[in-house]
């Protein structure tokens, strides 16, 4: 591996000995390269010199003057001292004071010219104004000039044992000596045509801005130099994903050639015809499955757009070719629900089906041994536990959250090279889809089945119970059914939250004439199944439930969704829950019931729900509200962290970076012409995915 001067230990820098090096190590700085990557977290504009006469108490200002008088005062105990100097800027006088720093006598001596930066106060004795403990710089002192004042000054996160000034000085020397020498991993033609500055200039400017003087831009990370670093991260991320994708295409997979009988039968059995979007996506999947390499496709679409039938058709294709198809869900309950939903179809086609949830409570038999059924439904235990498959050909993964690059690699490690189709429960914001799933091909079902009506949504404070009950009564008297969702199973477990068990009792008292059912994750699967069956058969009017109904439950006659403690739910969860209604021809409503205190964020979430039914818009809002870090959660596992780039702020840069990455990979897949880029890419991805070997 090529090494450069910037990979040298930080101790090579003037002013950094073993002790400082230990302090810097606490900040994650071991090498010169690390230090250069350690950017200021904010900047102060100390570039505007003003005259003492212009100063007003309370200003934070930079002033230049000559020491016209100085004096050290010691009081009481020996240790307490004030060093006081009077600066003259040619017109007026300013008093500057340093407390308990007697050594200042030596630095700030009579006749020296200096620049000070600090907050201006009124002197207790009246005039002149003064500054206490200002940052300062002595002019004519070559080593120090122009570092701490009289410029836009970087402020770093530091650690105990080193002062801001000392740290800044180390960085200054470092930047002077090494920034320009930093080899730029991004090909020059790419930076040039995107009008991005070179890496050396970028680092120099981000530490000690000369050209970038717009303090607001700097502090919000929007200078062109910040953009350059954001580009780099996106570019590295996109390149890595593109390499993964390419190497996936070189793997040996199954080339499915189904006759299409089962699929045709399925379509005949459906009480509806597929939308154009469903047909298009089905073709995309079909053509992937024919390829001699494994399919890696992401299937996106809003709640209720009909992903399940598309996935099931693909599973039938695999089965028709003599392979097994597995469907994986993130939780046991969801796996059970999926199984219930497709069991009927499995039977209709006279196939064998198996449910393997395999949690800690599962029987040994469920977790080990060989799966022989045509269609297997389960959790991710399917790929992790000691299960073997007769002939696994297709894996459909529902709900993207828990499955990342790593999980997909896990399948391959087991020696399995099935086709993989990942279905998202709710849409992913475009920017995230592009980064996180850049190694996948992507299909979007962009329309809902015809006749779907907008679900009228309102959010109300809990005290308006009577209006809510009136709505419920009206719908049920028309023969419709309702869901009521609670955040907790029992009252005690989460202080102050309404629960399903209490809620059920309350509804029974309020509506003795209605049939009330209950559903939650602690019921036995058979019980849950029975309740769902009765709800489907309209033997239950109001189904009181936890979020177990979030995914997969499909009862078109249900037209009301009440969500209790809606302020506690996240946006995608609310959207997902709301998606349980609006599945039939009747118009449906969703009432979000909020209990005080309703935070500002919760209000925004609830308002978004009221404003739109569009899952893609909701996903974008969700990303904006929560920020990428939290939004990604576990999903990011397996991907390198983004330190400089911000998916929201830098969304436009992301597009460019991705374009450049795929262009480059198209021309030079192995990055043979760009060895330093390749090396840095390895460093960026290291510990996550060994991108050049995952193959
Ligand atoms: P998703 O999983 O995308 O949220 P589902 O696959 O559960 O959506 O489908 C939602 C409902 O719409 C189901 O009742 C399904 O049978 C129905 N459906 C699917 N496709 C169509 C279509 N083309 N026309 C009418 N109804 C459809
Ligand atoms: Mg579904």
């Amino acid at each position: 591996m090529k090494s450069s001067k910037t990979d040298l230990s930080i101790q090579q820098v003037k002013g950094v000995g073993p002790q400082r090096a230990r302090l810097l190590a606490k900040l994650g700085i071991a090498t010169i390269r690390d230090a250069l990557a350690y950017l200021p977290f904010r900047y102060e504009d100390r570039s505007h010199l003003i005259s003492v006469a212009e100063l007003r108490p309370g200003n934070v200002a930079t002033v230049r003057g000559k020491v016209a008088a100085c004096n050290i005062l010691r009081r009481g105990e020996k240790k307490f001292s004030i060093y006081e100097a009077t600066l003259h800027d040619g017109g007026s006088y300013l008093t500057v004071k340093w407390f308990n720093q007697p050594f200042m006598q030596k630095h700030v001596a009579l006749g020296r010219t200096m620049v000070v930066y600090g907050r201006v106060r009124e002197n207790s004795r009246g005039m002149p104004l003064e500054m206490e403990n200002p940052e300062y710089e002595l002019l004519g002192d070559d080593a120090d000039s122009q570092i701490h004042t009289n410029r836009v000054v970087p402020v770093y996160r530091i650690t105990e044992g080193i002062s801001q000034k000392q740290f800044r000085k180390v960085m200054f020397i470092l930047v002077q000596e090494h920034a320009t020498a930093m080899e730029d991993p991004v090909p020059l033609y790419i930076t040039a045509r995107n009008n991005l500055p070179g890496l050396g200039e970028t680092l120099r400017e981000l530490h000690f801005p000369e050209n970038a003087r717009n303090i607001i831009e700097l502090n919000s990370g929007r200078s062109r130099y910040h953009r350059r670093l954001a580009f780099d991260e996106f570019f590295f991320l996109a390149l890595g994903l593109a390499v993964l994708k390419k190497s996936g295409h070189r793997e040996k997979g199954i080339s499915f050639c189904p006759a299409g009988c089962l699929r045709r039968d399925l379509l005949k059995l459906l009480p509806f015809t597929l939308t154009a979007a469903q047909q298009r996506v089905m073709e995309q999947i079909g053509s992937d499955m024919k390829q001699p390499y494994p399919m890696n496709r992401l299937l996106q679409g809003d709640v209720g757009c009909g992903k399940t039938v598309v996935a099931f058709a693909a599973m039938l294709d695999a089965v028709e070719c003599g392979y097994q198809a597995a469907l994986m869900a993130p939780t046991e309950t969801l796996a059970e629900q999926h199984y219930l939903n497709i069991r009927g179809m499995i039977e209709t086609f006279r196939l064998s089906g198996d449910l393997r949830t395999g949690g800690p409570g599962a029987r040994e038999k469920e977790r080990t041994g060989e799966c022989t059924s045509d269609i297997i439904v389960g959790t991710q235990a399917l790929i992790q536990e000691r299960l073997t498959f007769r002939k696994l050909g297709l894996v459909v993964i529902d709900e993207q959250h828990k499955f990342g690059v790593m999980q997909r690699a896990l399948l391959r490690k087991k020696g399995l090279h099935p086709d993989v189709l990942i279905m998202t429960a709710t849409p992913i914001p475009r920017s995230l889809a592009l980064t996180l799933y850049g190694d996948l091909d992507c299909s979007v079902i962009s329309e809902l089945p015809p006749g779907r009506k907008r679900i009228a949504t309102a959010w109300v404070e809990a005290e308006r119970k009577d209006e809510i009950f009136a709505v419920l009564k009206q719908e049920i008297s028309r023969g419709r059914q309702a869901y009521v969702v609670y955040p907790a199973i029992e009252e005690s477990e989460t202080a102050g939250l309404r629960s399903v068990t209490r809620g059920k009792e309350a509804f029974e008292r309020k509506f003795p004439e209605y049939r009330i059912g209950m559903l939650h994750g602690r019921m036995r699967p058979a019980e849950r199944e029975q309740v769902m069956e009765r709800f489907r058969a309209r033997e239950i009017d109001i189904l009181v439930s936890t979020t177990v109904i979030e995914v997969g439950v499909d009862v078109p006659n249900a037209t009301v969704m009440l969500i209790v403690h809606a302020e506690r739910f996240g946006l995608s969860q609310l959207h997902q829950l709301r998606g349980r209604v609006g599945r039939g021809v009747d118009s449906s409503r969703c009432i979000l019931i909020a209990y005080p205190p309703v935070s500002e964020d919760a209000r925004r979430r609830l308002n978004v729900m009221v404003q739109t039914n569009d899952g893609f818009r909701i996903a974008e809002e969700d990303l904006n509200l929560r920020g990428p870090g939290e939004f990604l959660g576990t999903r990011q596992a397996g991907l390198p962290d983004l330190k400089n780039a911000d998916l929201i702020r830098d969304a436009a840069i992301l597009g460019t970076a991705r374009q450049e990455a795929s262009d480059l990979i198209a021309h030079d897949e192995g990055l043979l012409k760009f060895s330093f880029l390749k090396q840095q890419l390895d460093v960026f991805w290291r510990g996550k995915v060994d991108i050049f070997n995952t193959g």
Side-chain angles (χ1 to χ4, degrees):
M1 195 199 258
K2 193 159 71 175
S3 78
S4 71
K5 228 182 141 193
T6 45
D7 291 314
L8 293 177
S9 156
I10 189 73
Q11 284 201 48
Q12 304 293 318
V13 179
K14 202 175 107 196
V16 183
Q19 199 191 335
R20 281 242 167 111
R22 269 196 300 280
L23 288 174
L24 295 176
K26 284 194 198 164
L27 299 171
I29 300 173
T31 64
I32 291 172
R33 182 183 296 278
D34 296 338
L36 287 170
Y38 195 82
L39 297 182
F41 77 101
R42 68 184 178 87
Y43 299 85
E44 274 173 13
D45 189 353
R46 304 180 185 174
S47 64
H48 301 291
L49 287 178
I50 69 172
S51 68
V52 175
E54 291 171 278
L55 293 179
R56 297 290 170 265
N59 290 166
V60 176
T62 311
V63 173
R64 187 211 317 246
K66 196 167 181 168
V67 181
C70 53
N71 184 24
I72 186 145
L73 309 167
R74 295 185 194 274
R75 290 227 184 92
E77 286 177 41
K78 268 183 233 143
K79 284 205 180 121
F80 185 80
S81 73
I82 303 175
Y83 181 68
E84 203 177 272
T86 306
L87 293 190
H88 185 228
D89 75 344
S92 319
Y93 294 91
L94 174 74
T95 305
V96 288
K97 290 179 177 175
W98 285 277
F99 293 90
N100 295 324
Q101 297 177 53
F103 53 85
M104 294 303 285
Q105 281 183 90
K106 273 183 256 150
H107 291 298
V108 182
L110 207 60
R112 301 264 343 227
T113 300
M114 68 190 303
V115 176
V116 291
Y117 169 84
R119 183 175 295 277
V120 180
R121 310 178 0 135
E122 217 152 1
N123 187 309
S124 45
R125 292 161 302 192
M127 297 294 283
L129 295 172
E130 63 177 37
M131 277 184 195
E132 287 179 1
N133 295 319
E135 294 235 18
Y136 69 96
E137 204 147 37
L138 293 160
L139 299 186
D141 182 346
D142 273 349
D144 256 19
S145 76
Q146 306 292 299
I147 302 181
H148 310 291
T149 54
N150 202 11
R151 62 168 310 124
V152 172
V153 175
V155 183
Y156 297 92
R157 278 183 217 290
I158 48 172
T159 177
E160 211 176 318
I162 186 163
S163 74
Q164 189 66 241
K165 242 181 124 162
Q166 291 166 330
F167 189 87
R168 193 181 290 138
K169 189 162 172 185
V170 169
M171 291 306 293
F172 189 78
I173 295 168
L174 199 88
V175 167
Q176 296 295 307
E177 290 180 358
H178 299 285
T180 346
M182 273 284 267
E183 198 176 342
D184 195 333
V186 180
L188 186 61
Y189 79 90
I190 291 180
T191 47
R193 77 179 170 197
N194 290 292
N195 190 25
L196 293 166
L199 185 60
E201 181 189 350
T202 297
L203 292 172
R204 212 182 59 227
E205 284 289 328
L206 287 177
H207 286 286
F208 291 91
E210 295 291 344
N211 304 326
R213 302 286 281 274
N214 183 331
I215 194 80
I216 296 169
E217 258 181 25
L218 280 170
N219 275 328
S220 58
R222 288 172 203 271
S223 72
R224 65 189 294 252
Y225 303 102
H226 284 99
R227 284 206 298 276
R228 159 70 212 248
L229 292 191
F231 176 90
D232 285 13
E233 280 188 344
F234 284 145
F235 183 63
F236 279 41
L237 189 65
L239 262 184
L241 290 168
V243 170
L244 283 174
K245 187 167 170 174
K246 277 265 180 182
S247 64
H249 286 192
R250 276 196 308 273
E251 259 172 60
K252 202 174 149 31
I254 305 155
S255 187
F256 291 97
C257 293
C261 300
L262 289 181
R263 180 197 279 240
R264 266 194 299 280
D265 289 347
L266 171 70
L267 299 187
K268 260 186 253 154
L269 282 173
L270 292 176
F272 48 77
T273 50
L274 295 182
T275 61
Q278 283 171 312
Q279 273 166 23
R280 188 186 64 235
V281 168
M282 222 177 241
E283 271 159 34
Q284 288 168 345
I285 295 171
S287 98
D288 273 7
M289 289 177 68
K290 284 201 182 70
Q291 300 299 327
Y293 52 81
M295 165 168 77
N296 265 308
R297 187 167 282 278
L298 176 70
L299 172 53
Q300 282 213 71
D302 206 348
V303 181
C305 70
K307 294 183 287 287
T308 314
V309 61
V310 170
F312 193 70
M315 293 171 86
L316 288 181
D317 280 347
V319 171
E320 189 173 33
C321 297
Y323 287 87
Q324 296 170 285
L327 173 58
M328 292 203 293
T331 68
E332 291 177 35
T333 323
L334 292 178
E336 279 163 20
Q337 274 169 14
H338 271 304
Y339 190 63
L340 291 183
N341 283 343
I342 61 173
R343 198 179 49 186
M345 290 197 268
I346 294 175
E347 281 163 10
T348 309
F349 286 99
R350 301 222 171 82
L351 303 175
S352 54
D354 197 357
L355 175 67
R356 298 268 189 147
T357 49
R363 277 161 296 139
E364 182 69 5
K365 174 170 139 274
E366 261 189 44
R367 291 192 290 161
T368 54
E370 199 188 37
C371 288
T372 52
S373 301
D374 301 313
I375 289 182
I376 302 116
V377 180
T379 59
Q380 49 177 328
L382 279 186
I383 58 166
Q384 285 168 341
E385 302 277 333
R386 288 158 291 164
L387 286 180
T388 54
F389 294 91
R390 178 172 53 79
K391 208 177 172 192
L392 185 62
L394 172 68
V395 178
V396 177
I397 298 170
D398 186 27
E399 249 279 310
Q400 81 284 13
H401 300 258
K402 310 281 191 302
F403 297 95
V405 175
M406 295 306 278
Q407 277 73 19
R408 280 174 257 143
L410 204 70
L411 269 174
R412 290 184 216 143
K413 282 211 188 88
K414 286 189 79 172
L416 296 169
H417 298 262
D419 281 10
V420 174
L421 179 66
I422 300 183
M423 288 201 288
T424 65
T426 41
I428 310 168
R430 201 178 136 70
S431 52
L432 287 187
L434 289 179
T435 46
L436 295 185
Y437 299 100
D439 59 328
L440 301 176
D441 299 298
C442 186
S443 293
V444 181
I445 301 182
S446 49
E447 60 181 325
L448 293 178
R452 289 285 168 79
K453 296 200 182 72
R454 198 175 177 281
I455 303 162
T457 305
W459 80 266
V460 299
E461 305 248 10
E463 69 249 31
R464 287 163 57 185
K465 270 200 188 71
D466 291 338
E467 290 166 57
I468 301 165
F469 288 146
V471 169
L472 213 52
K473 236 178 152 136
Q474 188 188 28
E475 290 293 307
I476 295 173
S477 67
R478 285 188 191 144
R480 307 280 171 260
Q481 292 159 282
Y483 298 101
V484 185
V485 177
Y486 285 85
I489 298 179
E490 273 159 29
E491 217 78 358
S492 59
E493 65 186 336
T494 352
L497 287 190
R498 275 72 192 164
S499 69
V500 190
T501 37
R502 287 284 193 81
K504 175 170 184 271
E505 290 162 18
F507 275 99
E508 277 166 347
R509 277 196 304 276
K510 179 77 193 169
F511 298 114
E513 69 276 30
Y514 296 154
R515 295 157 302 176
I516 320 276
M518 178 167 76
L519 200 66
H520 60 70
R522 282 201 217 133
M523 292 162 59
R524 276 181 293 124
E527 280 180 289
R528 283 202 295 257
E529 191 177 329
Q530 208 183 15
V531 172
M532 276 318 300
E533 210 35 71
R534 285 174 51 219
F535 191 63
R536 270 188 211 108
R538 300 194 192 184
E539 289 163 24
I540 289 174
D541 301 305
I542 301 177
L543 182 59
V544 181
S545 167
T546 56
T547 55
V548 294
I549 59 146
E550 193 179 327
V551 176
V553 172
D554 190 16
V555 179
N557 191 52
T559 56
V560 182
M561 168 62 66
L562 294 187
I563 303 177
V564 181
H565 278 302
E567 82 283 357
R568 300 288 181 122
F569 293 94
L571 260 180
S572 71
Q573 206 170 21
L574 289 173
H575 181 59
Q576 201 39 244
L577 286 167
R578 176 169 63 183
R580 296 307 108 205
V581 297
R583 294 181 161 244
V585 286
D586 304 297
S587 46
S588 295
R589 16 199 339 182
C590 172
I591 304 178
L592 307 167
I593 306 170
Y595 285 82
V598 184
S599 70
E600 200 45 49
D601 269 4
R603 256 167 225 284
R604 281 170 66 186
R605 289 197 295 271
L606 297 173
N607 287 333
V608 170
M609 289 296 293
V610 171
Q611 280 159 21
T612 184
N613 272 228
D614 178 350
F616 283 92
R617 247 203 73 197
I618 289 174
E620 296 287 348
E621 293 287 347
D622 202 17
L623 176 61
N624 282 330
L625 274 170
R626 286 201 281 163
E630 205 175 320
F631 187 96
L632 295 170
T634 51
R635 264 182 278 171
Q636 204 175 15
L639 285 186
D641 298 328
L642 299 176
K643 284 205 300 243
N644 300 310
D646 179 316
L647 285 162
I648 298 166
R649 183 189 62 202
D650 304 321
I653 304 171
L654 172 63
T656 317
R658 243 180 75 93
Q659 189 58 52
E660 291 293 3
S662 68
D663 272 12
L664 178 55
I665 288 298
H667 290 111
D668 183 1
E669 192 178 325
L671 298 180
L672 301 176
K673 288 201 219 92
F674 302 97
S675 59
F676 186 60
L677 172 60
K678 182 167 173 168
Q679 180 202 318
Q680 290 299 300
L681 193 62
D682 241 357
V683 172
F684 182 77
W685 280 81
R686 175 139 328 130
K688 307 288 182 181
V689 180
D690 187 358
I691 53 165
F692 290 102
N693 288 310
T694 310

